[in-house]
């Protein structure tokens, strides 16, 4: 998809990867619906990115997601792409997983993206096509102690995405998954933790294709991968090539 003049919903646009993606897409001429809970941050961003619209939403609430999509469609007249990026981590060993917390993260990381897809798909079908990009995680490809809850939900998102991709081929709607690696954002700070300390820590530094698996990437680096997924319609885009064959014993 050529992104110029296309209408794109970016969830989680107030921070980190979503913010960097919104800025990148705006530079490429896209019209953006900026979605997250932080109304003030979104309105400030919308004033900086010409032609964009702040659409505050709690992505754990289906009725709000429906309203967010309706508002975006009402304003722009169409939705060409959806980037399901809003999300939060949960760091707890199996024994300590709190089921209520897991349900919350499930609502945010899996059900929210699913509901957003369910609302944009009929619009895209009517328009003759579209693109959906769902942000998973490198953790969906690994078995990292403490991260089973979060990783299993990001794996569920992969399955939903790649199944939707098959279902929607006939409608010319591409569905892609992007797998970020450790990325320098507020993600680690915002991750809900059962206890201090995690192996999935950010160590700073700018990652590059083929770079060290122990260096964090910048949000701008991941935004480029998201743009690549939008433009190519590829099924899966990995932050780094080595992630295609991760060492599942590590
Ligand atoms: N950073 C990493 O190392 C990393 C690695 C792999 C995958 N990822 C994935 O990348 C995505 C973006 O994360 P990030 O690194 O940019 O983290 P971040 O800086 O913490 O940003 C998270 C975004 O999600 C939004 N959000 C959180 N809860 C929400 C809710 N209930 N409703 C609506 N929006 C909500 C936040 O906005 P508000 O607070 O304004 O609602 C914020 O814009 C996530 O899906 C994450 O799982 C991150």
């Amino acid at each position: 998809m050529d992104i110029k003049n296309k209408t794109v919903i970016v969830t989680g646009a107030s921070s980190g990867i979503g913010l960097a993606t919104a800025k990148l897409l705006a530079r490429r001429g896209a019209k953006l619906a900026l979605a997250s809970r932080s109304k003030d941050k979104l309105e400030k961003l919308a004033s900086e990115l010409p032609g964009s619209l702040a659409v505050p939403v709690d992505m754990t609430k289906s009725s709000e997601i429906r309203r967010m999509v309706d508002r975006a469609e009402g304003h722009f007249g169409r939705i060409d792409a959806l980037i399901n990026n809003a999300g939060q981590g949960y760091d707890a060993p199996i024994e300590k997983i709190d089921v209520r917390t897991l349900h919350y993260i499930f609502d945010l990381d899996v059900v929210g993206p699913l509901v957003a897809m369910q609302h944009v798909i009929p619009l895209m079908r009517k328009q003759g096509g579209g693109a959906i990009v769902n942000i998973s995680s490198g953790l969906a490809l690994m078995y990292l102690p403490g991260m089973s809850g979060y990783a299993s939900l990001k794996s569920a998102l992969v399955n939903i995405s790649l199944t939707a991709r098959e279902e929607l081929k006939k409608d010319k709607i591409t569905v892609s998954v992007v797998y970020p690696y450790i990325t320098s954002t507020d993600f680690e700070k915002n991750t809900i933790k059962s206890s201090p300390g995690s192996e999935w820590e950010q160590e700073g530094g700018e990652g590059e294709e083929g770079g060290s698996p122990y260096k964090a990437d910048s949000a701008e680096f991941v935004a480029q991968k998201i743009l690549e997924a939008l433009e190519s319609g590829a099924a899966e885009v990995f932050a780094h090539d080595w992630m295609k064959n991760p060492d599942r014993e590590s």
Side-chain angles (χ1 to χ4, degrees):
M1 171 183 284
D2 176 2
I3 212 64
K4 196 167 168 28
N5 290 324
K6 296 292 192 305
T7 300
V8 185
I9 297 175
V10 182
T11 74
S14 63
S15 166
I17 292 170
L19 177 60
T21 302
K23 288 180 175 172
L24 176 61
L25 297 183
R27 281 202 302 278
R28 297 299 183 95
K31 294 174 281 184
L32 303 171
L34 306 164
S36 85
R37 294 165 302 181
S38 306
K39 188 168 182 278
D40 292 352
K41 282 189 196 170
L42 296 179
E43 284 175 352
K44 182 168 178 297
L45 183 62
S47 72
E48 293 163 4
L49 305 180
S52 61
L53 175 74
V55 280
V57 61
D58 183 337
M59 289 297 294
T60 64
K61 303 213 159 59
S62 295
S63 57
E64 289 194 23
I65 297 170
R66 174 190 286 276
R67 271 203 301 279
M68 177 274 283
V69 173
D70 286 350
R71 269 197 71 197
E73 204 238 347
H75 182 84
F76 292 110
R78 57 187 290 127
I79 305 293
D80 296 297
L82 164 70
I83 300 174
N84 268 318
N85 163 78
Q88 193 171 359
Y90 183 31
D91 181 347
I94 294 284
E95 276 181 280
K96 292 193 178 165
I97 288 177
D98 173 67
V99 171
R100 273 200 316 190
T101 304
L102 189 67
H103 276 293
Y104 175 77
I105 299 293
F106 176 67
D107 282 343
L108 177 58
D109 289 1
V110 181
V111 181
L114 170 68
V115 171
M117 289 170 75
Q118 289 176 328
H119 289 307
V120 300
I121 286 167
L123 305 176
M124 290 178 174
R125 184 180 288 124
K126 212 166 57 188
Q127 291 162 192
I132 296 170
V133 179
N134 291 337
I135 311 308
S136 179
S137 167
L139 282 174
L141 309 164
M142 304 169 190
Y143 304 124
L144 200 71
M147 301 309 291
S148 66
Y150 171 73
S152 64
L153 301 181
K154 287 296 191 181
S155 297
L157 185 62
V158 172
N159 201 307
I160 287 170
S161 307
L162 297 182
T163 304
R165 183 180 176 84
E166 295 306 313
E167 292 175 356
L168 298 171
K169 263 183 186 157
K170 62 180 185 333
D171 299 308
K172 297 190 170 45
I173 300 171
T174 59
V175 184
S176 308
V177 182
V178 173
Y179 300 87
Y181 183 60
I182 302 171
T183 310
S184 294
T185 66
D186 287 341
F187 178 79
E188 177 63 22
K189 190 183 86 191
N190 293 333
T191 289
I192 301 170
K193 299 176 185 73
S194 69
S195 52
S198 157
E199 289 186 42
W200 185 249
E201 282 174 347
Q202 300 190 17
E203 298 192 5
E206 186 93 357
E208 286 176 7
E209 198 66 55
S212 159
Y214 299 105
K215 272 185 148 186
D217 296 315
S218 67
E220 289 72 23
F221 174 82
V222 180
Q224 285 288 348
K225 299 289 173 185
I226 293 172
L227 176 62
E228 183 186 319
L230 267 179
E231 288 182 332
S232 69
E236 296 177 290
V237 174
F238 300 81
H240 301 281
D241 281 344
W242 62 263
M243 293 168 72
K244 293 174 191 168
N245 295 302
D247 176 3
R248 287 184 172 262
E249 298 305 315
S250 67

